[in-house]
Amino acid sequence: LVAGSGETAILPQELKAIADRQTQGRVTLIAIDAHWNGARHLVGTFPPDMLRVKLPPESVLTEGPRSLLSPLRCYRGDVGSNGRVSTLEAIAALLYELEGDRAKYDLMLENLKIKVDAVLIQKSRPPLYNTIGAQQGTKVRHEAQLLARKHVEELTRQGKSVEDLGRGLMKYLKEANDD
């Protein structure tokens, strides 16, 4: 089974019925995590009789106007018009369609939000989803900046050189990581 789209792709409920008849409900999902052209090329290498599944237009993906990953990508428009979402969002939605487990779906998306917030913080941008990790990351970064500033001021007051400042900052960062 390949997650995808196209004329031959079936809906999750059709897949569920086939799986119930042929494999006691078990399904193996192959999700291609690549840009659109790369994914299209990879899918083209699979046997033509391999099932492909697509999400229905009314899937949970349309609950939000944009992909959760859009702050890190150049997606234009909304999910309903362009269908561009992350691989994780698509897999979460497909599993929800197959299993109906909203808690699992929400947890998968929460993981993506944590990742997006972490990347935004790494890029010195404010977190968007206010996840626990983002709250901690912002707090730690702010505390580190205050302590580094205090350390630099102390070294400057002592008349230390630029090299001493750099060594002192590296020592501080190492000590902060050890804590």
Side-chain angles (χ1 to χ4, degrees):
L1 167 71
V2 177
S5 59
E7 294 176 20
T8 60
I10 60 175
L11 294 171
Q13 294 312 317
E14 295 172 272
L15 170 65
K16 199 171 186 177
I18 293 169
D20 287 343
R21 283 193 312 271
Q22 296 180 1
T23 62
Q24 293 82 39
R26 290 187 312 256
V27 173
T28 300
L29 173 66
I30 299 172
I32 306 299
D33 189 22
H35 57 80
W36 288 97
N37 287 336
R40 192 174 306 124
H41 172 73
L42 286 172
V43 169
T45 65
F46 293 144
D49 61 339
M50 185 176 281
L51 292 176
R52 287 163 171 74
V53 66
K54 63 182 175 184
L55 292 168
E58 69 279 359
S59 80
V60 290
L61 283 179
T62 58
E63 289 179 355
R66 297 175 18 167
S67 166
L68 295 175
L69 199 60
S70 64
L72 305 177
R73 300 286 187 264
C74 296
Y75 297 155
R76 294 189 189 118
D78 60 23
V79 172
S81 65
N82 66 24
R84 296 194 71 173
V85 296
S86 70
T87 304
L88 181 60
E89 287 170 292
I91 292 169
L94 178 58
L95 290 175
Y96 178 72
E97 294 289 333
L98 292 171
E99 300 171 354
D101 188 342
R102 183 64 189 224
K104 183 189 290 185
Y105 172 77
D106 290 340
L107 285 172
M108 290 178 79
L109 295 187
E110 185 64 22
N111 280 322
L112 181 58
K113 290 176 183 178
I114 291 169
K115 178 63 175 174
V116 169
D117 276 350
V119 171
L120 290 171
I121 289 169
Q122 288 173 346
K123 293 182 174 199
S124 296
R125 293 170 49 193
L128 179 66
Y129 299 114
N130 204 28
T131 60
I132 292 171
Q135 293 166 6
Q136 292 299 317
T138 301
K139 180 181 175 189
V140 168
R141 190 177 76 209
H142 179 70
E143 288 174 2
Q145 288 170 341
L146 290 176
L147 287 170
R149 192 173 301 129
K150 180 180 174 184
H151 188 68
V152 168
E153 288 170 359
E154 177 63 27
L155 289 173
T156 303
R157 193 172 59 250
Q158 295 173 7
K160 302 288 184 172
S161 69
V162 173
E163 290 81 17
D164 291 331
L165 290 173
R167 279 192 294 276
L169 185 56
M170 293 306 292
K171 179 182 175 189
Y172 164 75
L173 292 174
K174 183 182 181 324
E175 289 170 0
N177 275 339
D178 290 344
D179 291 343

